[in-house]
Amino acid sequence: MIIWIILGVVMAASLIWYAVFTANKPEPAALQPASDAQLVRDDSHRLTTPAAEKAQLVEFLDFECESCRAAVPLVEELKKEYGDRITFINRYFPLPGHANSGTAALAVEAAAQQGKYEQMAAKLFETQPQWGEKQDSQAAVFRSYAEELGLDMGTYDAAVAAEETKERIRRDIADGKGLGVTGTPTFFLNGEKLTLNTEDQFRQLLADAAK
């Protein structure tokens, strides 16, 4: 019985990593890059600010995406190792198949406007098993997280409702589509869309870029 349990855990972990590294494989009808699409904008969320930048790693993500959540520990590890040389940048790409992914992006962006982007993003990924895949709105749940983070709730509510906040997220989505993003997580290293097969490959690409 113990052996079967261990095998089940190993297989589940393998399936998660398979999903992470196949989520951004190009599809036959992948969009061609649009001439006005930008990989990075002035307001893009930069998680590291190296004094001497060697490369940029841009991730298009969806907070309701299980593969994005599975990738978080690895990305955090790489950020600690290469953050002094590589600029890590996050962009929103809520998928239409996830009922609360757009609402989650609004919550994170509203938190970002009060300097708490990373804290809210981490909270949503940490709690994703509780709210993910639900069909009813989780806006109240996200608002409770904002309260936990000590945000000014009047400012938060106004930001969530603001057209400017929604447009900010639409712009990320439009750029992603124009750059050929079809799933999440999708990574670009120095402007090149990555097709990842293994964790070791990902690590090696960043190690080479950081030299």
Side-chain angles (χ1 to χ4, degrees):
M1 178 66 72
I2 294 174
I3 292 174
W4 282 112
I5 292 173
I6 293 173
L7 286 173
V9 170
V10 171
M11 288 184 66
S14 299
L15 286 171
I16 288 174
W17 280 111
Y18 176 81
V20 169
F21 291 114
T22 57
N24 56 4
K25 292 287 182 68
E27 297 179 356
L31 295 172
Q32 293 299 314
S35 59
D36 59 346
Q38 296 183 35
L39 183 57
V40 180
R41 291 182 180 269
D42 290 341
D43 61 358
S44 295
H45 294 299
R46 293 164 172 80
L47 310 185
T48 58
T49 53
E53 182 184 83
K54 297 284 188 177
Q56 289 186 346
L57 180 73
V58 180
E59 178 184 3
F60 283 85
L61 54 78
D62 173 343
F63 296 105
E64 197 170 353
C65 165
E66 292 182 0
S67 295
C68 292
R69 181 174 185 266
V72 167
L74 175 59
V75 173
E76 286 299 312
E77 183 182 335
L78 295 173
K79 191 167 66 175
K80 290 177 182 176
E81 186 169 358
Y82 300 112
D84 60 337
R85 286 160 286 169
I86 297 177
T87 302
F88 286 69
I89 300 165
N90 281 5
R91 302 202 64 182
Y92 303 109
F93 201 78
L95 298 170
H98 291 153
N100 280 285
S101 58
T103 305
L106 281 173
V108 174
E109 182 56 27
Q113 293 176 23
Q114 296 190 49
K116 294 291 181 71
Y117 172 85
E118 291 188 78
Q119 292 89 332
M120 183 61 104
K123 184 68 174 177
L124 290 191
F125 279 132
E126 175 190 339
T127 60
Q128 187 195 89
Q130 282 77 59
W131 60 265
E133 302 300 328
K134 294 186 181 298
Q135 296 305 306
D136 57 318
S137 174
Q138 298 297 295
V141 174
F142 302 152
R143 191 178 190 278
S144 72
Y145 298 157
E147 289 181 306
E148 289 178 22
L149 292 175
L151 300 183
D152 180 284
M153 297 312 297
T155 303
Y156 172 86
D157 291 337
V160 168
E163 186 62 28
E164 292 83 355
T165 308
K166 297 172 185 177
E167 182 56 33
R168 165 74 177 74
I169 295 166
R170 292 189 197 111
R171 195 159 55 243
D172 274 15
I173 296 170
D175 281 341
K177 288 181 177 179
L179 292 163
V181 175
T182 57
T184 57
T186 292
F187 295 92
F188 290 81
L189 182 61
N190 281 343
E192 180 181 351
K193 184 180 177 184
L194 301 182
T195 299
L196 299 169
N197 296 307
T198 66
E199 179 180 328
D200 288 341
Q201 179 196 10
F202 196 13
R203 290 179 183 276
Q204 189 59 55
L205 286 170
L206 264 67
D208 293 343
K211 291 179 181 178

